[in-house]
Amino acid sequence: MPSQTRNSLPLQVRVVSHLQGSGQAAARTTSVAMRISQSLALARLARASAVALTVITSTYFLLSSFTFSCVNVVRNANVLWIRTLIQNYAWLYWVVFLLNAVTLTPAFRHRRHRWCVEGLLVALASIGMLTRVYRLNDLPLDSRNIAWSVVLTLPLLCFGIHDIAVFNNASLCTRRPLEKTLPLRSAFICGAIVGAWYFVIAFLRYQDLPVHRASVLAVLAATVLLHACTFAFLAGLLASVQGVMDKSQASVRSRLTVSLIMLWICASLMLRKLVTPALSFNNAWADVWALAYPISFVVMLAGWHVRRAALSGEAVADSVETVVSEAFPATRLWTAIAGGLALLSTFAFPYVIERVDWNFLFQRLGAIVVWILLLTVAWRTLSQPRATKQKTWKTLACTAIAAACCLGLAQTSRTWGSDGWKSISESSSAYWGMDPSFQVAQLIFRPTVRDDDTTGLFAYIRQHTMIADPMGPAKLGLVRSLSPSTEVKPNIYIIVVDCMRRDYLSVYNPRVQFTPHIASFAAESVVFQNAYTNYSGTALSEPAIWAGMMLPSKNYPEPFAPMNALEQLTTADGYQRLLLRDSILNALLQKLPGDLALGRINVRRENHIGLDFRDEVPEMLEQTGAANPRPLFVYAQPQNLHPITLHEIAESGEKVESDTYKGFNTRYADELRKVDEAFGQFIAGLKGKGQYDNSIVVLTADHGDWLGEYGRWGHGQSLLPRVMRVPLLIHLPPRLAEKTYENTNQTVFVTDIAPSLLYLLGHRDLRKGEFYGRPLFTE
């Protein structure tokens, strides 16, 4: 009966009832969608993901702006995060796009905002489908990528403008938060705790911490006082600005604007002092980039605070402390998580990334994050209501005193050295490498690195290392005139083991027991006791080996052929070349007909594209003595010992017996043992084919490496002995060894290899000068 009654109702009533039900369902759906789009948790997640993706993508473009970082990072197949990013960028982009698209839907309620959001969404979708941002592997080396790294931040700017336009209203500016300030003594104590905490971690982790009691106490006092004064300076500066704003009775909008400007300035200074020097990007354009890059992030942060205040009914943040503190949930649980995460990351973060290239930069940036988290915790737990009659001049005076102390403490090593406290000065310099927070605190109060430096450092470098304005190849090569040699041409093998340290070879260190084959080779060869690299990184050292001279500042002079001594030698004397084609040599060497590529296979590690010397040896022996009328020239640069390789092996879980290498870095020593075994097979192969006495064999390294001493890992950021001293062993055929003389105790460089080969093959018209290499052998 109910169904009959329902069917018997008039048609108009049934239609109206259906429309009302549909309208209610649509309203409920709209309400749910609106609640989702206005969810602060979703907006926080969406904006955080957008920031993370923007930082990664813009960093990729920034690295692609400079030859060094493009060749050695972006195009280096062993930099795993680049490979992972390229492989997963598409879905990452669309996930971030969809999350933020949902947060933009409130604009569709406003006719004047709707078309702007529609245009933004269409533009971002087009970027995802059509432009180079989607296809990162197509990105060329181009200095204009510096500008693109800033342009890529503009979506964040648009998100911020959207939130300000949609959620801003007059009532927001009438809500005044409780005026609070962090007392300078609380900030001072917080900084002292941070300095002491980092010192304890360094003391626990590094056995090379200075053991002299006076040195330890002096270093501890310096780092604790520097951190305490730095935190007090920051707190005093912020309190002074708030005092000025109080006296001028500034509006909430003005206070927020001033706070955001201060954050922008701080971010620009950190980028300019920490990031651009790591890229050797220190000119006026570096200043412009450091100023322009953070703007979009700051505007997005402003929009987030307007959105948060409008949806939560709270007051808009009106100080730097609240702008930073309220970027994540202001609950006791989140505050505790932030404090625990900061303290834990001081140990965990360096441990995870310390063996990765450029770890020094990442550790310093990690220290900045720790500072922000701990200052946020201190603000939430220790801040007090601001006194209505607080005297701003007292705060300014305390801030100035703290700044003066920081400026003095930033030069502790130099100050102690000039005052005759040599042991403390050396201890402070050693500790500097162990504590990234100490590094940041000192760098903040030191002059910014600039190419037009007036302190005398750059003038000295220009005078003594030939560094001047970027330039093309040298017009004068190593040899004045080069014609085919009439001498009998031996095979030439140059083996440059990347990152090989001399103190890990038994020929230089009797404690070493894991390089017997290299020791046997040394007994039949010339061993130079004082050999150095000219540069602390492969990007300059490897080209310098080929050029046989020091290089101008441009990475790299193009075309490189006019100053490439080894390429000229092999071409003039008709050598068959078997060459490693790594990312650097690919950019430098001409691809000549008949060249053979070394490193074609990698049978042991599927995920590792680097060159394993155990794979290179069979290729080298295969070409040795082959049916080829031309002599053989081989250049190999195995990467078994490179930090990237060692890190990758450790991640794979490969086990090493630590007892075998007591007193040495276990992973490094084990890989060097493998290189030694492969080298022994190579020498045995040459002897078995009867080619050993007809070969020049050079064994050396492009540079050394830090293996945790004084907290330092890797290379490229210091000019200290563990990086600059290298092994150099050269075997000559008996017919050449009989008629040559060498001084094995003289100071020699890897740039002397090329002129030595030229001399031995009869090319004697070599240029002389402090920038050119010189023959290590003479008649």
Side-chain angles (χ1 to χ4, degrees), residues 203-364:
F203 189 84
L204 293 176
R205 294 192 60 200
Y206 303 118
Q207 297 180 357
D208 287 325
L209 192 69
V211 295
H212 190 270
R213 181 174 299 177
S215 298
V216 170
L217 293 177
V219 171
L220 174 60
T223 184
V224 169
L225 189 58
L226 176 59
H227 281 88
C229 290
T230 301
F231 277 48
F233 166 74
L234 294 174
L237 181 64
L238 298 178
S240 299
V241 172
Q242 289 301 314
V244 173
M245 301 294 286
D246 289 341
K247 290 185 180 299
S248 62
Q249 297 182 342
S251 64
V252 173
R253 183 178 287 109
S254 299
R255 291 170 181 268
L256 175 60
T257 301
V258 170
S259 299
L260 292 170
I261 290 174
M262 292 183 67
L263 280 177
W264 168 55
I265 294 173
C266 290
S268 297
L269 286 174
M270 290 301 99
L271 291 173
R272 186 62 186 87
K273 284 182 173 290
L274 301 181
V275 176
T276 61
L279 296 169
S280 297
F281 179 35
N282 298 310
N283 53 24
W285 286 112
D287 301 334
V288 173
W289 179 85
L291 289 170
Y293 185 78
I295 291 177
S296 296
F297 295 86
V298 171
V299 173
M300 189 213 69
L301 186 60
W304 158 254
H305 280 291
V306 171
R307 183 184 191 121
R308 180 195 58 78
L311 296 179
S312 65
E314 300 176 357
V316 179
D318 68 340
S319 66
V320 174
E321 298 95 327
T322 52
V323 167
V324 174
S325 173
E326 294 175 5
F328 58 93
T331 64
R332 291 182 178 179
L333 176 61
W334 277 100
T335 302
I337 290 174
L341 184 63
L343 295 177
L344 179 62
S345 63
T346 56
F347 179 87
F349 185 70
Y351 180 80
V352 172
I353 60 94
E354 67 183 354
R355 306 187 188 193
V356 179
D357 265 3
W358 286 6
N359 64 81
F360 67 98
L361 173 60
F362 299 134
Q363 289 195 54
R364 291 170 187 171

Side-chain angles (χ1 to χ4, degrees), residues 192 470 641 652 767:
L641 305 179
S652 69
R767 297 188 183 278

Side-chain angles (χ1 to χ4, degrees), residues 683-703:
I683 297 300
L686 288 183
K687 292 180 178 179
K689 293 192 173 190
Q691 295 294 320
Y692 185 65
D693 288 339
N694 186 41
S695 300
I696 298 175
V697 181
V698 180
L699 178 64
T700 187
D702 54 345
H703 53 76

Side-chain angles (χ1 to χ4, degrees), residues 567-676:
E567 188 171 77
Q568 296 166 5
L569 168 67
T570 55
T571 302
D573 286 344
Y575 273 85
Q576 170 69 63
R577 303 196 307 182
L578 176 62
L579 304 176
L580 163 79
R581 284 291 181 179
D582 64 2
S583 56
I584 297 173
L585 293 187
N586 263 333
L588 297 180
L589 299 187
Q590 300 181 92
K591 292 181 172 59
L592 301 179
D595 281 356
L596 300 176
L598 179 63
R600 297 166 298 187
I601 60 174
N602 186 20
V603 298
R604 290 174 175 81
R605 299 166 187 156
E606 294 181 359
N607 295 326
H608 181 61
I609 303 181
L611 299 172
D612 192 318
F613 192 49
R614 294 173 293 176
D615 296 333
E616 295 174 345
V617 165
E619 296 181 64
M620 295 161 62
L621 293 176
E622 178 184 347
Q623 296 299 323
T624 299
N628 193 324
R630 297 192 292 169
L632 184 65
F633 177 89
V634 178
Y635 182 89
Q637 186 151 337
Q639 298 176 357
N640 298 68
L641 305 179
H642 196 278
I644 295 176
T645 306
L646 299 179
H647 179 73
E648 185 176 305
I649 297 172
E651 290 293 312
S652 69
E654 184 176 321
K655 301 297 183 181
V656 179
E657 294 294 334
S658 58
D659 293 341
T660 309
Y661 309 106
K662 287 185 178 180
F664 298 92
N665 181 282
T666 302
R667 185 72 61 184
Y668 184 95
D670 189 62
E671 283 299 302
L672 184 52
R673 176 188 61 80
K674 298 172 185 176
V675 172
D676 178 76

Side-chain angles (χ1 to χ4, degrees), residues 412-475:
T412 50
S413 298
R414 183 181 302 174
T415 302
W416 278 322
S418 61
D419 291 343
W421 297 85
K422 184 178 179 181
S423 61
I424 300 179
S425 177
E426 292 176 350
S427 299
S428 179
S429 298
Y431 178 74
W432 197 84
M434 303 177 184
D435 187 347
S437 182
F438 186 61
Q439 296 173 28
V440 172
Q442 288 201 329
L443 290 172
I444 289 175
F445 295 98
R446 288 180 178 177
T448 302
V449 177
R450 302 190 62 84
D451 287 345
D452 55 353
D453 175 77
T454 57
T455 63
L457 172 62
F458 280 79
Y460 179 86
I461 292 177
R462 291 190 193 100
Q463 178 182 355
H464 292 279
T465 63
M466 201 170 145
I467 295 181
D469 295 332
M471 57 185 291
K475 295 181 180 180

